[in-house]
Amino acid sequence: MTFFNDTSLLPIVYELLHNLALLYTFISLFMPMITKGCLEYNPLKIHTKGVLFFSILALVSMLMPIRFTQIPDAAIDLRIAIIILTSSYLGPLNAFCVGVATIVFRILLGGLGWIPWVPAALLSGPVAFAVIKRVNKRPGGMIMASITCTAVSMTILAVASHNLDVFSYFSPAVHPDNFIKIFFALAICNSMAAVAYDRAIKSILIRQQNYHELRLKADTDGMTGLYNHNRFQYEIGQAINSAQKSKSPLCLLMLDLDYFKEYNDNLGHQAGDALLKEAAKIFLESIRPKDIAARYGGEEFAIILPDCSEYEAVKISERIREKFEQNPFYGREKMPKRKVTISIGIACYLGDSTDKNTLIQKADAALYSAKRTGRNKSVVYSPYRNVCFMAKS
């Protein structure tokens, strides 16, 4: 099996398949670890982990060159395919960064004679991005980008070959046959690599997305969209550990809808479900972005307030309570005092040895005090003599 009559194709195919297999394994093993399965395209932002991943991938490809038995000085690698993949997934800016990394790696591995690779490396990302965007179909776009970037790279190196002896073996003026063979081999190998790695990366991203969706379903309450009880237990444990390490305050709200059973009995379970959904919406509108709301069970909810003082927790609690009191819920005229209200218990972690169960018990005690003393109020658990007192924002 020959390539242009005198170059054996079998060794090239063998080394290409060997490289594809090794790099495919590298992608499968390390991409989820480095990028966490996330490659976010943003034309104006450097994706640090993505650039790191593709730069390492380019380095690995350079360490495994594909050699020509009939052209002793010639060797090709798949770095162009890596730059094309970066451009496709992360945009031209990140591809430019990976191109810079390939310049550094190439010079470290091959010496300053590889300076002519600089313009090719920097141009490949934007050129690939433009081609893929124009073709807009895979794998056609990846193949066209590979051929175009190979042509750009070979043209630049061909010009450099007139002045640099290191590239004389494929100078189109001195060795036109070598130039054509290397060009076609490089275009075919990079096209195959770009398509194969593209499929590998897409497969990983799909699996990560499926896992994320399954995890989200497992952690989310189907009725309200908030975290469920199991995820709450995990989050409160993490929040306490974080507060212990950073020596920052942490507060917990336990919330219970007042007279929810009567609301269900009077208006039906569908109305009760709608009320729970509306309650979740009010919670999310009232808390800070870093706070965590969960459905604890039934009509009872919990909100974790990391890095939050007791004073700020009272303000958030009262904001929620007032929104409930003032909200024109459906059927509120049939409720006591003609409105739907909520009772809230507040407990704070103060840097002591409190574990999550103790903190939950304290918030529950404060909530019980709020229910027992008339409802529709926020009550704070006091660490002094284990008493509770009504909060005022």
Side-chain angles (χ1 to χ4, degrees), residues 121-287:
L122 301 182
L123 286 172
S124 292
V127 169
F129 180 79
V131 172
I132 293 170
K133 188 174 181 180
R134 186 171 184 82
V135 176
N136 200 29
K137 286 186 179 180
R138 282 177 157 94
M142 306 299 289
I143 294 172
M144 287 300 300
S146 298
I147 295 172
T148 305
C149 290
T150 299
V152 170
S153 175
M154 290 294 290
T155 300
I156 294 172
L157 294 179
V159 173
S161 68
H162 290 291
N163 301 313
L164 295 174
D165 292 337
V166 69
F167 296 124
S168 62
Y169 62 88
F170 73 91
S171 169
V174 181
H175 299 289
D177 289 346
N178 287 355
F179 180 84
I180 294 173
K181 290 173 185 177
I182 293 173
F183 172 78
F184 276 99
L186 193 59
I188 292 170
C189 289
N190 276 302
S191 296
M192 292 180 64
V195 172
Y197 300 156
D198 179 48
R199 293 196 173 186
I201 291 170
K202 288 184 76 173
S203 176
I204 291 171
L205 292 177
I206 289 172
R207 289 200 301 270
Q208 290 288 332
Q209 180 64 27
N210 290 340
Y211 171 79
H212 175 74
E213 290 175 357
L214 288 174
R215 182 65 183 268
L216 189 62
K217 289 180 180 178
D219 291 339
T220 303
D221 173 60
M223 177 67 66
T224 62
L226 303 178
Y227 281 146
N228 58 23
H229 183 90
N230 287 339
R231 183 57 185 260
F232 163 76
Q233 292 290 344
Y234 170 80
E235 292 291 344
I236 189 65
Q238 292 294 106
I240 289 178
N241 290 338
S242 178
Q244 288 174 340
K245 291 177 182 178
S246 62
K247 301 186 184 305
S248 59
L250 167 72
C251 292
L252 173 65
L253 308 184
M254 297 297 291
L255 313 95
D256 189 88
L257 298 178
D258 296 329
Y259 302 108
F260 184 71
K261 183 178 183 303
E262 287 82 348
Y263 189 90
N264 265 337
D265 291 342
N266 292 332
L267 301 167
H269 289 284
Q270 288 186 335
D273 293 344
L275 176 60
L276 293 175
K277 294 177 183 178
E278 186 67 19
K281 183 179 178 181
I282 292 175
F283 298 149
L284 295 176
E285 290 174 348
S286 304
I287 62 179

